[in-house]
């Protein structure tokens, strides 16, 4: 027995041994005394050694025995005739040591091996929880447990139970994400009818407790035997959260965490939508920080790119790595994700394209405030955003918002650089509200302001022309209706007067709009640029002033000033 324990039982045990066969040895640095004759009575291996040489010292054999001191103490107690308390935590180490020492029925009846195997088969394998706890006890003796078939037996038991009730692996992530209240969350942990029928425990142990060397073969076997992918994915995501995600990583842990994230990515099912996009982004960022393999990072990017329409702007804000980083966020990664999305998008519904276009516009506005973002990089991102909007009939308000933010945060830009930044802005696709804001925006280059005003007047002319045409068509229809009804000449004259009054009101409002636009222009445009404004009025069709009899504006109908700028 071990010298560190001086209990009454230890004293009785020492008295029952003969001093001739007792040997003092050290097991993993812990001193203990063992009677080799009592051990030989139960162990076929020790009996064979003594038979070959009765005088041989067992110290060298027992000091190298694959067992911890506690397990060896239990073996000694059994050999000395004490009742052995077998538990979930010690049944696997006892079984492995009993195999190693040859403590089987062929050597001695009612031996230790038959007792541990009976306990293992009757108390461990039928239970999901006890099987996982027993597997945890194999971590330090994994090779022996694999060699003696204990790990395979546990694995087979777990697979059978997972096939009957996949919820033992955890609820699918989408179900948990969309749980609306506490009652739904409670239902996740409540055993279903099938689990109660087969006697499964109400609260199951989690596979994620297992070390990677045990967890990986279990998941591989589950995929091979057809356990539904959504449950496998749920277990893998929980494993990543438990061991890698949201955890600080030291130098010693970095290698382990890197191995975990690479294994999780390799085992994740490839079906789209099983895993929330945000969680995939978290895994990708962990893979980047842990310097995982290129294959691991590329595969995470591929998974994300295929469901990029589920991402948020916060997801795209992946910090740049390294000391020589030029920008705050990893722009190239976003570019790769966008390329993957368009390469794999085959749906006839354009809603996904519109969602991604809006996402990239919001991302552009977010990164525009990065003081280290160079104009060339911003222009490249803006072009990427414009490309994402192709075919979606989107306006240019998002691009304008990003440009406005960029110019505010980068006031040091020259006039030429500001004009280059604004080159990506298509003023014709801006809304009336955006045009009105741009016309008063002092940060914009002068050329852009003039262009916005000019396009605003063109839109005003088109709008007035369309409304005048609509009024003319309406008047003709009224005349035709009156003629069919054989109305009096007085009624026709009354209708014509109403229309004439309406036209005069439109002309008056149109003059007011012209004055307002001219006022804004005079505020933004320098006097030496007057020739440019006169040229614009000439192209618009108004050679002289607003009151000139040939000015075509008087023939146009007015729209609300808010939409004319």
């Amino acid at each position: 027995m071990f010298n560190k324990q001086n209990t009454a039982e230890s004293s009785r045990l020492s008295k029952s041994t003969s001093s001739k066969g007792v040997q003092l040895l050290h097991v993993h640095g812990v001193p203990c005394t063992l009677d080799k004759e009592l051990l030989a009575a139960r162990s076929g291996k020790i009996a064979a050694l003594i038979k070959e040489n009765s005088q041989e010292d067992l110290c060298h054999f027992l000091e190298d025995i694959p067992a911890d001191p506690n397990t060896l103490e239990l073996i000694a107690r059994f050999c000395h005739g004490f009742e052995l308390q077998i538990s979930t935590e010690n049944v696997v180490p006892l079984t492995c040591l009993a195999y190693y020492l040859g403590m089987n029925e062929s050597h001695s009846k009612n031996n230790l091996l038959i007792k541990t195997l009976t306990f293992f088969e009757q108390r461990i394998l039928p239970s999901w929880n006890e099987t996982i706890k027993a597997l945890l006890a194999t971590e330090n003796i994994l090779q022996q447990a694999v060699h003696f078939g204990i790990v395979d037996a546990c694995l087979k038991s777990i697979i059978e139970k997972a096939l009957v009730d996949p919820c033992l692996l955890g609820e699918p992530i989408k179900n948990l994400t969309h749980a609306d209240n506490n009652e739904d969350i409670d239902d996740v942990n409540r055993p279903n009818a099938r689990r109660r029928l087969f006697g499964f425990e109400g609260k199951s142990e989690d596979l994620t407790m297992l070390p990677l060397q045990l967890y990986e073969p279990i998941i591989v076997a589950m995929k091979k035997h057809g356990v539904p992918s959504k449950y496998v994915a749920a277990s893998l995501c929980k494993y990543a959260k438990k061991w890698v995600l949201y955890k600080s990583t030291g130098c010693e842990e970095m290698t382990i965490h890197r191995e975990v994230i690479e294994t999780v990515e390799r085992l994740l099912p490839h079906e789209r939508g099983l895993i929330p996009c945000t969680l995939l982004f978290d895994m990708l960022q962990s893979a980047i920080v842990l310097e995982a393999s290129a294959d691991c990072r590329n595969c995470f990017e591929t998974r994300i790119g295929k469901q990029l329409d589920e991402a948020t702007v916060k997801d795209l804000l992946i910090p740049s790595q390294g000391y020589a980083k030029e920008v705050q966020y990893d722009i190239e990664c976003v570019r790769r994700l966008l390329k993957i999305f368009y390469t794999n998008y085959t749906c006839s519904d354009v809603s996904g394209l519109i969602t991604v276009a809006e996402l990239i516009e919001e991302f552009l506005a977010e990164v525009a405030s990065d003081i280290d973002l160079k104009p060339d990089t911003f222009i490249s991102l803006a072009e990427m955003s414009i490309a994402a909007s192709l075919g979606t009939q989107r306006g240019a308000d998002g691009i304008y918002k990003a440009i406005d933010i960029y110019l505010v945060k980068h006031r040091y830009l020259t006039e030429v650089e500001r004009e280059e930044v604004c080159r990506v802005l298509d003023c014709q696709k801006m809304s009336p509200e955006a045009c009105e804001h741009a016309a008063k925006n002092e940060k914009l280059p002068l050329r852009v302001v003039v262009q916005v005003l000019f396009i605003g007047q063109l839109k005003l002319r088109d709008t007035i022309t369309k409304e005048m045409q609509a009024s003319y068509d309406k008047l003709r229809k009224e005349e035709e209706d009156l003629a069919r009804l054989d109305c009096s000449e007085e009624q026709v004259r009354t209708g014509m007067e109403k229309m004439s009054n309406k036209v005069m009101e439109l002309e008056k409002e149109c003059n007011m709009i012209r004055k307002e636009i001219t006022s804004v222009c005079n505020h933004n445009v320098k006097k030496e640029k007057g020739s440019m404004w006169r040229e614009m009025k000439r192209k618009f069709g108004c050679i002289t002033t607003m009151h000139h009899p040939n000015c075509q504006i008087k023939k146009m109908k007015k729209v609300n000033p808010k939409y004319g700028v």
Side-chain angles (χ1 to χ4, degrees):
M1 284 298 296
F2 292 82
N3 293 335
K4 63 178 182 178
Q5 295 184 357
N6 296 316
T7 62
E9 285 188 351
S10 297
S11 299
R12 291 195 300 271
L13 180 59
S14 298
K15 293 178 181 179
S16 66
T17 61
S18 61
S19 59
K20 182 179 179 181
V22 174
Q23 289 189 347
L24 177 65
L25 64 152
H26 292 77
V27 179
H28 300 289
V30 180
C32 64
T33 55
L34 291 173
D35 190 312
K36 64 179 182 179
E37 292 182 359
L38 292 179
L39 285 175
R42 288 292 188 178
S43 169
K45 180 171 283 191
I46 292 179
L49 289 174
I50 295 176
K51 185 176 180 181
E52 291 177 2
N53 186 354
S54 60
Q55 302 301 322
E56 183 177 356
D57 192 349
L58 297 180
C59 291
H60 296 295
F61 172 74
L62 293 176
E63 285 177 356
D64 296 332
I65 198 168
D68 60 87
N70 292 332
T71 304
L72 192 57
E73 180 182 1
L74 293 174
I75 293 288
R77 291 175 61 82
F78 175 77
C79 292
H80 286 84
F82 286 91
E83 183 179 355
L84 188 61
Q85 296 294 330
I86 303 176
S87 66
T88 303
E89 290 73 19
N90 65 29
V91 65
V92 173
L94 282 173
T95 302
C96 289
L97 190 53
Y99 266 119
Y100 180 79
L101 295 175
M103 303 177 72
N104 50 47
E105 295 301 293
S106 62
H107 180 71
S108 174
K109 296 298 182 182
N110 201 26
N111 213 340
L112 179 60
L113 185 58
I114 191 65
K115 291 180 178 293
T116 58
L117 288 178
T118 300
F119 184 91
F120 183 73
E121 293 174 357
Q122 295 180 357
R123 300 285 298 275
I124 302 300
L125 293 182
S127 167
W128 172 275
N129 287 353
E130 300 305 309
T131 303
I132 293 178
K133 290 178 182 178
L135 274 175
L136 283 170
T138 69
E139 185 174 4
N140 296 326
I141 52 171
L142 183 58
Q143 291 184 353
Q144 294 94 318
V146 171
H147 177 71
F148 296 129
I150 296 175
V151 171
D152 286 342
C154 291
L155 188 146
K156 182 179 179 181
S157 174
I158 288 176
I159 296 298
E160 290 175 350
K161 292 174 178 59
L163 288 171
V164 173
D165 185 9
C167 288
L168 288 167
L169 297 177
E171 286 293 321
I173 301 175
K174 289 293 186 181
N175 293 354
L176 290 175
T177 302
H178 293 95
D180 295 328
N181 49 49
N182 293 332
E183 182 178 354
D184 294 334
I185 297 175
D186 292 339
D187 289 341
V188 170
N189 296 319
R190 188 176 300 131
N192 59 27
R194 177 178 289 183
R195 190 180 302 181
R196 293 194 298 270
L197 177 64
F198 284 89
F200 294 157
E201 299 86 347
K203 184 178 180 181
S204 62
E205 293 290 339
D206 199 341
L207 282 179
T208 60
M209 299 168 59
L210 299 173
L212 185 62
Q213 55 190 351
L214 289 172
Y215 180 77
E216 180 179 1
I218 291 176
I219 296 299
V220 170
M222 284 188 176
K223 294 177 67 176
K224 182 178 179 181
H225 286 81
V227 175
S229 296
K230 58 183 179 180
Y231 296 100
V232 174
S235 180
L236 285 165
C237 291
K238 286 198 297 182
Y239 198 83
K241 288 181 179 180
K242 182 178 181 65
W243 294 100
V244 179
L245 303 184
Y246 324 120
K247 297 186 180 297
S248 58
T249 302
C251 295
E252 296 180 358
E253 299 173 328
M254 189 167 182
T255 301
I256 299 175
H257 289 179
R258 183 191 304 122
E259 185 179 358
V260 169
I261 198 66
E262 290 177 352
T263 301
V264 167
E265 191 288 318
R266 189 168 59 251
L267 295 177
L268 278 175
H270 290 278
E271 289 90 334
R272 184 185 189 276
L274 286 180
I275 307 167
C277 204
T278 297
L279 185 54
L280 286 174
F281 270 103
D282 291 340
M283 293 183 185
L284 173 60
Q285 290 197 42
S286 294
I288 294 172
V289 172
L290 294 170
E291 298 178 358
S293 65
D295 287 342
C296 175
R297 299 194 301 270
N298 292 339
C299 288
F300 273 127
E301 289 183 2
T302 299
R303 294 176 186 275
I304 293 171
K306 290 180 178 180
Q307 57 188 79
L308 190 61
D309 51 331
E310 299 177 6
T312 65
V313 176
K314 185 178 179 181
D315 295 333
L316 295 179
L317 301 179
I318 303 174
S320 296
Q321 300 296 317
Y323 296 104
K325 61 182 182 180
E326 296 183 355
V327 290
Q328 185 177 359
Y329 302 109
D330 193 340
I331 305 299
E332 290 305 314
C333 180
V334 176
R335 195 189 305 276
R336 291 193 299 271
L337 294 176
L338 194 61
K339 182 178 179 180
I340 293 170
F341 174 77
Y342 283 108
T343 302
N344 292 274
Y345 194 84
T346 57
C347 183
S348 58
D349 185 7
V350 299
S351 60
L353 300 176
I354 295 174
T355 300
V356 171
E358 293 174 349
L359 176 68
I360 299 301
E361 282 186 1
E362 294 175 11
F363 173 74
L364 180 63
E366 187 71 29
V367 300
S369 59
D370 182 2
I371 194 65
D372 296 322
L373 189 64
K374 299 183 183 304
D376 291 344
T377 306
F378 177 83
I379 293 171
S380 177
L381 281 173
E383 291 174 345
M384 181 176 67
S385 177
I386 293 171
S389 302
L390 293 177
T392 62
Q393 304 298 321
R394 289 187 56 76
D397 287 10
I399 299 294
Y400 171 70
K401 176 183 176 182
I403 290 175
D404 184 49
I405 295 174
Y406 186 77
L407 294 179
V408 169
K409 296 294 183 179
H410 300 77
R411 297 181 180 275
Y412 58 85
L413 296 179
T414 65
E415 182 77 7
V416 174
E417 288 175 326
R418 287 189 293 136
E419 287 187 357
E420 188 66 18
V421 167
C422 294
R423 178 177 56 82
V424 296
L425 180 63
D426 188 350
C427 299
Q428 295 184 2
K429 293 184 177 182
M430 292 171 61
S431 67
E433 292 79 10
C435 287
E436 182 178 359
H437 183 277
K440 302 175 183 178
N441 192 341
E442 297 180 354
K443 297 181 295 294
L444 292 178
L446 178 62
R447 187 180 300 276
V448 176
V449 174
V450 173
Q451 185 180 7
V452 168
L453 291 171
F454 178 68
I455 291 175
Q457 292 203 28
L458 289 179
K459 290 182 178 180
L460 172 64
R461 184 183 65 180
D462 293 340
T463 301
I464 293 177
T465 301
K466 289 178 181 178
E467 292 201 9
M468 290 295 293
Q469 183 64 41
S471 299
Y472 176 73
D473 294 340
K474 181 179 180 181
L475 178 60
R476 286 192 59 184
K477 186 175 183 303
E478 290 178 356
E479 291 178 350
E480 292 175 355
D481 291 342
L482 290 174
R484 283 197 301 268
L485 295 173
D486 194 21
C487 294
S488 64
E489 183 179 345
E490 184 65 25
Q491 289 176 315
V492 175
R493 186 164 44 255
T494 302
M496 292 292 293
E497 289 178 354
K498 289 181 179 180
M499 180 54 63
S500 178
N501 292 336
K502 186 174 182 180
V503 171
M504 292 177 65
E505 290 177 1
L506 288 173
E507 289 181 348
K508 185 183 296 184
E509 293 180 4
C510 182
N511 289 336
M512 292 175 62
I513 292 174
R514 171 66 69 182
K515 291 179 180 179
E516 183 177 346
I517 293 175
T518 303
S519 175
V520 172
C521 181
N522 291 335
H523 177 73
N524 288 279
V525 183
K526 297 179 181 180
K527 293 181 179 181
E528 55 267 26
K529 301 293 183 177
S531 59
M532 182 187 298
W533 178 240
R534 286 194 299 272
E535 178 65 14
M536 184 181 69
K537 290 199 293 182
R538 187 189 65 79
K539 291 181 179 180
F540 188 63
C542 190
I543 305 299
T544 58
T545 66
M546 186 70 186
H547 304 287
H548 193 278
N550 294 329
C551 182
Q552 297 180 8
I553 286 292
K554 289 188 176 183
K555 300 179 182 180
M556 301 179 185
K557 180 181 177 181
K558 181 261 173 192
V559 295
N560 194 306
K562 178 181 179 182
Y563 300 99
V565 185

